[in-house]
Structures are given as C-alpha cells and as structure tokens.
Amino acid sequence: MTEPFPPTSAIPVPVGSHGSASGGSTLLGYIGIDTIIEQMRKKTMKAGFDFNIMVVGHSGLGKSTLLNTLFKSQVSRRNAGWPRDEKIPKTVEIKSVSHVIEEGGVKMKLTVVDTPGFGDQINNDNCWEPISKYINEQFEKFLKEEVNITRKKRIPDTRVHCCIYFIPPTGHSLRQLDIEFMKRLSHSVNIIPVIAKADTMTIEERQEFKQRVRKELETSGVEFYPQKEFDDDMEDKSDNDKIRETMPFAVVGSDKEYQVNGKRVLGRKTAWGIVEVENSNHCEFAKLRDFLIRSHLQDLKEVTHNIHYETYRAKRLNENGGLHPISSNGTQESNL
Amino acid sequence: MLILHRKSVKKGFDFTLMVAGESGLGKSTLVNSLFLTDLHKDRKLLNAEERISQTVEITKHTVDIEEKGVKLKLTIVDTPGFGDAVNNSECWRPVTDYINQQFEQYFRDESGLNRKNIQDNRVHCCLYFIPPFGHGLRPVDIEFMKILQDKVNVVPLIAKADCLTPSEIKKFKERLREEIDKCGIKIYQFPDCDSDEDEDFKQQDRELKESTPFAVIGSNTVVEARGQRVRGRLYPWGIVEVENPAHCDFVKLRTMLIRTHMHDLKDITNDCHYENYRALCIQTMASKMNADKRVESPIPILPLSTPDVETENLIKKKDEELRRMQQMLQKMQQQMHEQDL
C-alpha cells in the first residue's frame, strides 16, 4: 500500500523523480493529483460494491458450476438450498441469490440471477420475455429512486451488469434460440457469450466453432460485450479487439480438485486424462475470469449505468411525456 | 446345407436404421464409425439463419456393405432439423409419417400378387440421441420416445459421452433409466438369452443390459494411441479411443446392433410394430368401408382370386425353407462372432 507523497510546493524547485508533466502546462512541483486514485480506492474499500450477474442457458450446461468456479465459492442458487434434482419449470423463472465476498479488504455484494427453464421446453417461443421483463424492472426500480425528491445516498443497484449466455457445444453453429435471445437482449444488457462444457470439443473443432459463431453473431447484428461502439479510444479498441477475437470463451467449470504434477488443481477426471480448468491449454476459463473480474468488472458496471440504463431512462421519459408511477403500491411520483 | 447358406447370402440382408436427435450430437459421426463409412462427406452444414425456415426433413442414404461374403444393404434415415427450432411442437410428425409410409408400402406389397421380391424398407431401429448436457430426459425426449415406442424399436443413446466423467455417466444412466420407467416409455428390450447358451455369452448379455442406455462417442479421425492407430479424438489432456470399452460403450452398441441383435430388431419390427400398424389399418379401412360405400383403397381386403391348393402348398414350403435358412444363418453369424473374439 503506497503512502501519499511529499507535501506540495508552489515554489519552482528542481523536481525530483515524482514530478512529471504530460501535455498541458508544465508542473513546477508536485501537486499530488495522482493521489486521487488512492482516495478512490480507499472509498471503494470502505463502501464495497455491488455486482449483479445473470446466467442464461438451458438446463445442464454447467451454469452453476461455472459461477462457483469463477467466484471460488458456493454462490449458485443450488447451494443456497435448491436441490439439484428439481424438475424443469414450465415457464422461465427468475431466481436470484446474493452473497458477500470479501478479498483483500474489499467487499463485493455479488448477486447471481439464474433463469431455470430457459430453452428447456418443446415450445420455447418468447422464453426470453421473463428475462427481458426482469432486466427492465431493475432499471425501473433504479429510475424511481433517482427521480425521488429525497434520494438515498447510495441507491441500491440491482441492475444486471452482465449476462453470461451459455452456448451448447454442438460444434455446428448457433441455434435459432441463441440468436433470438442475444438479438433481443443485447440492447438492454451486456451479453457475454461463452461456449459451455468445452471439453466436448477438440482444439480444432473449438476454433472452427468459434469462428462460425462469431460470423453468425455479426451477420445477425448481435453486439456482445465489449461492444465496438463503446470503445473509448485507440488503446481501448486495440485491447478489446483482441478480446473480441477470442470470444466466445470456451469454458469448463469444476468444483473438484485433483493432483496434477504435484499441484492441486480444479479439474474433471476422465478415463483418458484430467481436464484442468485453469490451464489455458485446456480451456479458456482463466481468460474469462480475468476478463470478467480482473479487467472489465468496473467497465461492465459503467456501460450498464451510462448506456443501457440511460437508454431505458430516455425511453421512459419520452413515453407519454413524463414518468408515470407504475409501482404496485400506487405511490405518486413527482412529475418531471 | 452349404447350398442353402449360399442362396440367402447371395440375396443379402437389408437393414434400415434411423438416427434422430438435435443437430450437433454426433449422429453422422457415429454412423460413420459404426459402419466404417463416410456417408456425409460433402454435407453442407446450415447456419442458424438458414435453418430458421427449415422444417424437419427426412433424408436417406443407402450403402452396400460386404464382409466375409455376407452382403448388407444398409439404409440410414436421418432427421435433420429435429428439435432445432425455437418452437418444436410436433417436430416428430415427419418422422412418424415416414415410418408409417414404409409400413403402408410393405402392407401393399404384402397384399399384392407378386411377392417374390418384396423390398423391406421398414425402419428396423431408431437410435435416439440424448444430449449429455442435461440432468435427465427433457420434455422433447419424452414426447418423441413415447410417440415412437409403438412404431419402431427405440434405442436411446447418450451422445458425445466424452464430456462426462465416469461417475457422471453412471449417474446419468441411472437417472435416465429411472425416468424412462416412470414415464412408461417402451424402449427396445434385449431378449433374454436362451438357457442353453454358454456362460461367456450370458455374462456378455448381462453386461450389455446393465449398461443401457449406451454412452457413445464417434470419430471420423484416426489418432495414435498406445502405439496403435485407432479411431479417436485428440484432446490436450488425453486421447479418447472410440473402440476402447473403458472409454465408452461404442463397442457394446456395435455388438448389439450388428453382431447379435440385428435379426431380433427386424423380427420385432415385423412381429410387433408392423402387425400393430396392419391391424390398425385394416380396422380403419373396415370402418371406413362401412361409413361410405366408395372404396378407394387399392389394397385388396379380400384377395381377388384365391390361390389353388398347389400354389398354397408351394408357398408354405418356401416359407418353411426360408425359416430354416434364417435359423441356419443366425447360427453361422454367432459362430463368426465367436471366432472374432
């Protein structure tokens, strides 16, 4: 942990190794603007942050296992008391479970939203509607808080920051349902497509499948996260381009450990070898984890707030010339 | 004896196998692995957009296979598009229509006057591919199998079994067997072997029955494993050998389908499924005849002319001969199979 630097000075003095100027005016001494990062960090640590992740895909694609593997704890709803063997629901249900995860002094309130029943019926027409409705309801909740006269200091954020869509590893191409879902929802939520149970495919098959999937997504006009149109600058674009070219990530999840080369690793033990989840030669789980948690977590929240939420807000405000109360308890909102 | 054997061998056998299940479950690869063919070499895979307007199709490929002088005319019936749409209500209909058509054709031929060269295009077995990604039977699986259980021998398989660990396979099989029982689905049952069979055969039969539904893997590629070139799949973490019984049930399926139960599958198709269809058909036609006087069916309910006694005897004798030859052939097939081991 770095300490704030030596006190500022307005007198021009020979600058040590701390002073630097890039563009703008030449600094005549050290001011200490860069400590803002440290201040933000401290605040975040104290306040903690919310992260809401939704998983969508039909039953048996390893959604719960992947979440548990990502957050190295039993965060899926299956471990929150719902039995594994429950029947497939007749309509899509939305079930959310929250956990507080703490690491290095930082607290994250992680909410996992599961969507059992998606794609499992014989007739899956409109099975995306309950999901779309849920996402919009969270936007509506936030909007209501925002337009209140007396607002909460920190509005509880239940908006879905990221939706991981599980593509079945058929090896052929996307299914109609996959395209329908992603087309309809890519404008209200950040969609991260992943290829589930990737240990079904050889490396060659995986590459071919990914290429086909990317092409189909492009042809269908589906913009998955990170969306090209939101790249801030060249650096962003180049980083994100690299990521977009390897997406969808082919993942394997596991909550079991095995001994490989003297180390204990998470994996799946088959009769012909052990699939190591965190081995980048075996699957892209590590890439997904780094992308989701270690580099783009904050960006996911920002895009949700600045873009998806704003789009929803603008639409709502333009409807019938104002905000109408539609809460179930009938409270009147102030007119905008 | 040798002459009889040569005669029916010369004629050859025919077998029609249907494969059903969603795309991407390895159906074509499995068929190629089973029969060492490359039936779908130039097949063009449709992308999702192209498949939007597609309905379930029925495609047929016929291939002649000869091994040790025995000819097999194998017909593979595929069902592309099955279960691929967003709304799959009644996606089984083209499948049942096809099966009924073959029954109807056979019925016509059987009732005709010249029955010397009847072609048996009836579907003798339907391999139904269950995805390994679920937790058990899905609604579409249950519906399909229930509708087809009275028309064809349904053999459910666990597809792409190389994504499951041994314990997951065991659990999945148990789960499937339970659910099949609970839903009352009548899948193809292996007949009990005769009490006079030797222990080895009985043991093999037991093992076969206990490992259903078979968890299969197929491959169109040859890999190097343990110093040999075998059909397999190469992963960074290991090599899956299709014909290794420790890796999957491919060998069991092949044994059952081709080497031991092909004949039984044909028999059951003939004695049960076809007879059901025939009885239903005759009933429907009879009631229709009573309902309206106009009879359009070309199938003669009453034969136009009764054959004379001499022809009848000849027909009976030929039937007997055929039955004896079939029995002889079964014994020979068994001997060949035992020699293979």
Side-chain angles (χ1 to χ4, degrees):
Chain A
M1 195 160 132
T2 52
E3 284 299 298
F5 294 106
T8 62
S9 157
I11 307 162
V13 287
V15 176
S17 54
H18 300 299
S20 69
S22 50
S25 51
T26 323
L27 289 179
L28 301 175
Y30 173 70
I31 303 178
I33 299 174
D34 54 354
T35 60
I36 188 81
I37 299 176
E38 182 56 29
Q39 296 172 38
M40 278 168 67
R41 204 172 77 77
K42 273 196 177 147
K43 275 231 161 133
T44 311
M45 267 181 69
K46 265 177 119 179
F49 65 101
D50 294 336
F51 190 66
N52 307 320
I53 185 170
M54 177 184 265
V55 283
V56 179
H58 60 77
S59 150
L61 286 180
K63 303 187 290 290
S64 313
T65 309
L66 187 72
L67 284 172
N68 291 346
T69 317
L70 268 174
F71 296 102
K72 292 234 162 109
S73 44
Q74 307 292 324
V75 295
S76 77
R77 68 180 177 94
R78 295 216 184 270
N79 305 102
W82 275 287
R84 179 159 273 277
D85 295 337
E86 65 186 42
K87 290 193 75 195
I88 294 174
K90 291 284 176 177
T91 51
V92 178
E93 292 174 358
I94 309 284
K95 291 203 169 134
S96 74
V97 174
S98 298
H99 297 263
V100 174
I101 298 178
E102 187 168 334
E103 193 183 48
V106 181
K107 282 204 198 69
M108 169 168 82
K109 177 158 163 266
L110 174 73
T111 303
V112 170
V113 183
D114 200 349
T115 53
F118 177 84
D120 287 330
Q121 300 307 319
I122 295 177
N123 182 351
N124 293 306
D125 274 339
N126 302 322
C127 66
W128 46 80
E129 273 177 10
I131 297 173
S132 192
K133 189 157 155 264
Y134 177 82
I135 291 174
N136 287 338
E137 277 170 2
Q138 308 318 305
F139 283 152
E140 185 67 26
K141 254 197 230 170
F142 196 88
L143 185 59
K144 284 231 179 67
E145 292 288 342
E146 232 190 19
V147 305
N148 251 333
I149 299 177
T150 40
R151 299 199 286 201
K152 295 202 179 109
K153 179 167 160 193
R154 227 187 105 197
I155 302 178
D157 191 358
T158 55
R159 299 170 297 184
V160 180
H161 300 126
C162 157
C163 172
I164 302 188
Y165 186 77
F166 286 68
I167 299 172
T170 59
H172 286 194
S173 59
L174 287 177
R175 314 178 73 209
Q176 287 177 42
L177 181 59
D178 303 332
I179 294 192
E180 281 300 308
F181 178 82
M182 288 195 270
K183 247 172 127 166
R184 287 161 194 274
L185 267 82
S186 57
H187 297 295
S188 19
V189 70
N190 296 320
I191 295 189
I192 297 183
V194 297
I195 299 174
K197 298 207 167 173
D199 52 347
T200 314
M201 299 189 284
T202 62
I203 302 292
E204 228 181 276
E205 290 167 350
R206 189 191 291 181
Q207 292 303 106
E208 284 172 13
F209 186 50
K210 277 211 237 185
Q211 261 183 5
R212 266 196 294 266
V213 168
R214 271 199 301 273
K215 195 151 157 274
E216 287 197 313
L217 288 176
E218 209 182 297
T219 328
S220 315
V222 171
E223 275 260 45
F224 54 83
Y225 179 85
Q227 298 93 331
K228 287 204 189 109
E229 47 183 333
F230 307 143
D231 285 336
D232 283 332
D233 50 36
M234 285 313 288
E235 196 190 325
D236 240 13
K237 183 168 171 348
S238 122
D239 286 341
N240 285 345
D241 270 344
K242 279 205 209 86
I243 293 172
R244 282 188 284 259
E245 265 151 42
T246 49
M247 281 176 78
F249 296 122
V251 295
V252 174
S254 171
D255 44 18
K256 295 201 174 67
E257 285 190 336
Y258 295 97
Q259 194 91 351
V260 173
N261 293 335
K263 283 202 309 178
R264 289 198 67 76
V265 291
L266 283 173
R268 289 172 60 70
K269 183 156 186 227
T270 61
W272 43 89
I274 297 181
V275 187
E276 296 164 50
V277 168
E278 286 172 315
N279 182 337
S280 51
N281 291 327
H282 289 191
C283 76
E284 297 176 322
F285 170 79
K287 280 209 190 110
L288 174 69
R289 178 200 53 206
D290 291 346
F291 171 65
L292 190 60
I293 301 175
R294 296 179 191 181
S295 59
H296 285 69
L297 194 65
Q298 184 57 25
D299 188 57
L300 280 162
K301 293 185 67 169
E302 280 177 10
V303 172
T304 306
H305 180 70
N306 296 333
I307 296 173
H308 297 302
Y309 171 66
E310 287 301 314
T311 311
Y312 178 81
R313 183 174 170 276
K315 204 170 72 146
R316 285 285 282 127
L317 298 187
N318 278 329
E319 269 171 16
N320 307 326
L323 191 63
H324 292 288
I326 14 168
S327 58
S328 54
N329 59 11
T331 47
Q332 281 292 342
E333 297 286 335
S334 62
N335 211 348
L336 287 166
Chain B
M1 276 205 307
L2 231 59
I3 301 169
L4 288 173
H5 168 59
R6 221 189 293 147
K7 246 199 190 166
S8 53
V9 162
K10 253 177 108 182
K11 182 169 173 250
F13 303 92
D14 45 32
F15 190 72
T16 303
L17 178 70
M18 175 181 268
V19 285
E22 293 154 15
S23 23
L25 289 181
K27 300 187 294 292
S28 320
T29 309
L30 185 75
V31 167
N32 287 344
S33 307
L34 275 172
F35 298 103
L36 300 180
T37 52
D38 202 359
L39 292 176
H40 300 82
K41 222 184 336 193
D42 302 313
R43 162 180 81 148
K44 175 173 170 284
L45 291 175
L46 298 179
N47 64 30
E49 291 256 317
E50 287 168 327
R51 281 195 261 133
I52 281 174
S53 48
Q54 233 212 358
T55 49
V56 180
E57 264 183 72
I58 304 285
T59 62
K60 252 170 65 165
H61 294 275
T62 306
V63 69
D64 287 308
I65 304 175
E66 184 166 336
E67 207 180 50
K68 296 195 184 155
V70 181
K71 285 206 202 71
L72 175 70
K73 176 164 154 277
L74 174 73
T75 307
I76 308 284
V77 180
D78 199 351
T79 55
F82 175 85
D84 285 339
V86 176
N87 182 353
N88 293 308
S89 311
E90 308 225 333
C91 61
W92 40 261
R93 198 169 280 286
V95 177
T96 49
D97 283 348
Y98 178 82
I99 294 176
N100 286 340
Q101 269 164 29
Q102 307 316 306
F103 279 158
E104 191 186 309
Q105 185 64 50
Y106 195 83
F107 187 29
R108 272 178 217 244
D109 292 346
E110 202 187 42
S111 318
L113 291 175
N114 186 350
R115 311 200 301 180
K116 239 199 290 190
N117 293 311
I118 298 183
Q119 276 245 306
D120 187 2
N121 290 320
R122 298 171 295 183
V123 181
H124 300 118
C125 175
C126 175
L127 297 179
Y128 183 66
F129 288 67
I130 297 174
F133 316 123
H135 295 299
L137 289 177
R138 303 163 304 160
V140 68
D141 301 327
I142 297 177
E143 199 184 72
F144 182 81
M145 288 199 280
K146 278 193 109 156
I147 288 178
L148 260 75
Q149 66 189 4
D150 291 318
K151 299 190 196 295
V152 70
N153 296 314
V154 176
V155 176
L157 300 175
I158 300 172
K160 292 197 167 176
D162 52 351
C163 82
L164 295 172
T165 63
S167 64
E168 286 168 348
I169 290 186
K170 189 161 166 292
K171 254 198 270 176
F172 196 52
K173 284 188 184 182
E174 276 170 12
R175 185 76 189 268
L176 288 178
R177 278 199 297 262
E178 237 180 69
E179 292 185 345
I180 287 176
D181 244 351
K182 210 167 68 149
C183 299
I185 299 173
K186 290 181 270 174
I187 55 175
Y188 172 70
Q189 300 291 340
F190 301 124
D192 292 321
C193 49
D194 302 326
S195 49
D196 59 353
E197 296 287 356
D198 60 46
E199 257 313 305
D200 270 346
F201 191 78
K202 280 197 194 157
Q203 170 69 3
Q204 202 183 63
D205 194 63
R206 259 198 304 270
E207 279 174 16
L208 219 64
K209 289 199 181 126
E210 279 164 18
S211 35
T212 55
F214 295 135
V216 292
I217 300 168
S219 171
N220 284 329
T221 52
V222 175
V223 295
E224 179 105 21
R226 296 179 291 149
Q228 287 186 315
R229 290 180 68 71
V230 290
R231 275 207 177 215
R233 291 170 62 71
L234 176 64
Y235 290 112
W237 48 86
I239 300 176
V240 180
E241 300 161 52
V242 167
E243 293 183 8
N244 185 337
H247 288 187
C248 71
D249 297 327
F250 174 82
V251 173
K252 290 202 180 85
L253 174 68
R254 183 179 58 192
T255 306
M256 183 281 276
L257 197 59
I258 303 171
R259 298 183 188 176
T260 50
H261 289 76
M262 188 178 263
H263 198 74
D264 187 59
L265 286 164
K266 292 182 71 171
D267 271 352
I268 306 257
T269 306
N270 190 51
D271 301 340
C272 287
H273 302 299
Y274 172 66
E275 288 301 316
N276 281 342
Y277 173 84
R278 189 171 166 276
L280 192 64
C281 217
I282 295 179
Q283 266 180 1
T284 326
M285 284 195 297
S287 60
K288 229 175 112 183
M289 261 180 80
N290 291 333
D292 63 35
K293 298 301 174 187
R294 203 168 38 104
V295 177
E296 268 201 47
S297 163
I299 302 171
I301 309 280
L302 305 162
L304 295 174
S305 61
T306 47
D308 56 331
V309 185
E310 212 181 282
T311 328
E312 274 213 312
N313 280 338
L314 208 65
I315 292 175
K316 260 199 206 122
K317 230 168 73 187
K318 288 287 176 193
D319 269 343
E320 272 295 305
E321 222 177 277
L322 209 67
R323 211 162 292 150
R324 263 185 284 134
M325 287 195 314
Q326 281 180 335
Q327 277 179 347
M328 203 79 51
L329 212 62
Q330 220 182 342
K331 274 222 169 67
M332 297 229 164
Q333 272 185 325
Q334 216 161 295
Q335 277 175 7
M336 284 196 303
H337 152 77
E338 278 164 359
Q339 276 173 11
D340 273 346
L341 294 177

